[in-house]
Amino acid sequence: MNRIFDDHIIRKVYSLDGTWKFCTDASREGEKLGYTGGLPENAKNIIVPSVIGRDFGLLEYTGITWFERKFHTNGGTLRFCFGAVMTEAKVWLDGEYLGEHYGGFCEFDLIAEDVAAGEHTLIVRVDNSFNLDSIPHAKVDWYHHGGIIRSVSFEELSGVCVLRCHAEYTLSDALTSAEVYFKLKLYSKEDAKTSLEIALGDDTVISKNIKVCKGISEINTESVMLNGIALWDADKPNLYKLTVRTAADDFIDRIGFRYIEVKNSKIYLNNKEIELKGANRHEDHPDWGFAVPAQLSRKDVEIFCDMGANAVRGSHYPQSRAFVDLLDENGLMFWSEIPIWGCGYTAADLERPLVLTRGLDMLKEMVEVYYNHPSIVIWGIHNEIESNTESGLEMTKLYYGEMKKIGGNRLVTYASRLPFSDISFEYCDVISVNYYYGWYEGTKETWDTFLEKFEARREELGLTDKPLIMSEFGAAAIYGNHTFDNLKWTEEYQAELLSYCIEAFHKSEMVCGMFVWQFCDMRTCIQMGLGRARGFNNKGIVNEYRKPKAAYHAIKALNHRFAEEE
Ligand code: ADA
């Protein structure tokens, strides 16, 4: 589900996308009114996946909405898979509470046992309202689309089922072989024995019998040595089909062998020094909101490739599996992060227990779901929090430690807006800075002073082993806005500023990566006030319909010149 390839051949999977019943619940009385068993007669139709507020005059609606879907099953144990529900979901089956999930950008699943054959009613209560414990916070610089934003399906499980399989591997120094083992998360309705086969491509690498206990089991296989492996990188993004089979079930994914590291104050992929060149991408579009179809993801990836980019930052939340699958296929490196968008939180907010645990849970979930994607080379733990305060330091230390433990072979970082007062840079593998000289303050030439000053700052902190990524920089340009002078808000001004920045960063020995803010214009929320012309963040190098501005062509020319110089 939500992948660009079949992730099950044996397991019976049924899509629940399409027409659902839908209603708002501004009074928050839906449970009292019995919506958990079925929505009121006046409920309307809505298409899932979608964002609420496209056609129902609900554009500014935040609060409770209810969704109902009747479906037919052959019965047994059913697993309901939700691609993403924005932001808090509670689920009932035929009026019986099934479970809940917090967090709007990651998939989750719920299992119901002993379901009778026949027609049933699935109810989802969605809450996209905000309070001080919300992640994301009310104030963010993107639009608060709510709803069931990615595909929904159900599966009829039988026997021992593979819910997840992480491929853990260590490459040889020469990067020609890999020692691999597999971490399995299995479900069975009762204690059971089963055959287990794991294949990479057409080669079976594990074949054995295993025992599992009732419910969820976590099993690590023994290691196997693979020789003559084909590496994953930008030029040759080799992928291996991973197939896990038990006696009655299967699980299909894809993996890639690569090694990312920081050494000599540079970033290396597969022992080659690299420079990350790309842009920040919000997964948003005027017609679909967050619920972008796979063909839009493909178009975005093709544009990144056409531009000569080799990297994407998924600002500021986990992006659709289809998009990350396409990054895997096209050899684009990816920075994946959770939606702790700092300017909304005060330092005190960062100490709130529920914010801390929710953020940690979102990081763990992102790793659980996206672990096998070779394109993910960076985990981002937050964006522009008060990392110059003790509470910001504590959050960073906690999250960095956890991600280094569970995150696999990735660099861990966070985007700081406080380069000269940040006290948390110890807790990152590479320093990342967002700054907007030439837009919010200073001129394009101020960047030269910045790079000199930050070189000294990094020295002063004793962190010269950590390279710098310019994770955000840019300027707004209204698409189609031109003047004879390169004034702010024109395409020419944006192109000139970005060209200056990219040349300066490319020349700097300290900078090892750069992500333009941003890929495409996108709607922002009312909390950003009137500082956003037309209610959009207009710093895209393409507009919201992916039409290129002058900056796009300027960056493409620069990237191609850099490639020729290599
Ligand atoms: C911040 C933030 C981005 C965006 C940007 C801007 O760096 O991380 O999400 O809001 O500023 O456009 O000002």
Side-chain angles (χ1 to χ4, degrees), residues 141 316 341 383-384 434 436 440 472 517 532 537 539:
D141 194 2
H316 290 284
W341 190 84
N383 179 76
E384 297 195 346
N434 298 349
Y436 287 86
Y440 292 120
E472 289 183 32
W517 185 272
R532 293 285 184 265
N537 184 312
K539 300 189 185 73

Side-chain angles (χ1 to χ4, degrees), residues 225-299:
M225 183 56 79
L226 304 177
N227 297 313
I229 56 170
L231 293 175
W232 184 92
D233 66 23
D235 303 322
K236 294 197 184 93
N238 291 296
L239 293 173
Y240 286 75
K241 180 180 176 182
L242 167 65
T243 307
V244 187
R245 276 202 195 88
T246 64
D249 188 60
D250 68 343
F251 169 94
I252 298 168
D253 201 352
R254 303 187 311 190
I255 68 169
F257 294 108
R258 87 293 179 276
Y259 187 66
I260 189 87
E261 62 181 322
V262 168
K263 63 182 178 186
N264 319 322
S265 188
K266 299 287 184 188
I267 296 182
Y268 286 74
L269 180 75
N270 300 337
N271 292 339
K272 279 187 220 138
E273 185 186 331
I274 56 167
E275 179 186 51
L276 298 170
K277 295 190 295 290
N280 286 271
R281 177 203 187 238
H282 266 289
E283 190 153 78
D284 189 22
H285 185 280
D287 297 334
W288 293 288
F290 287 146
V292 298
Q295 63 265 32
L296 182 82
S297 292
R298 167 169 293 287
K299 178 167 184 174

Side-chain angles (χ1 to χ4, degrees), residues 380-400:
I381 52 180
H382 49 64
N383 179 76
E384 297 195 346
I385 67 164
E386 303 301 308
S387 46
N388 60 344
T389 66
E390 277 312 306
S391 42
L393 175 66
E394 286 311 308
M395 174 181 265
T396 308
K397 187 174 169 186
L398 173 67
Y399 289 5
Y400 176 73

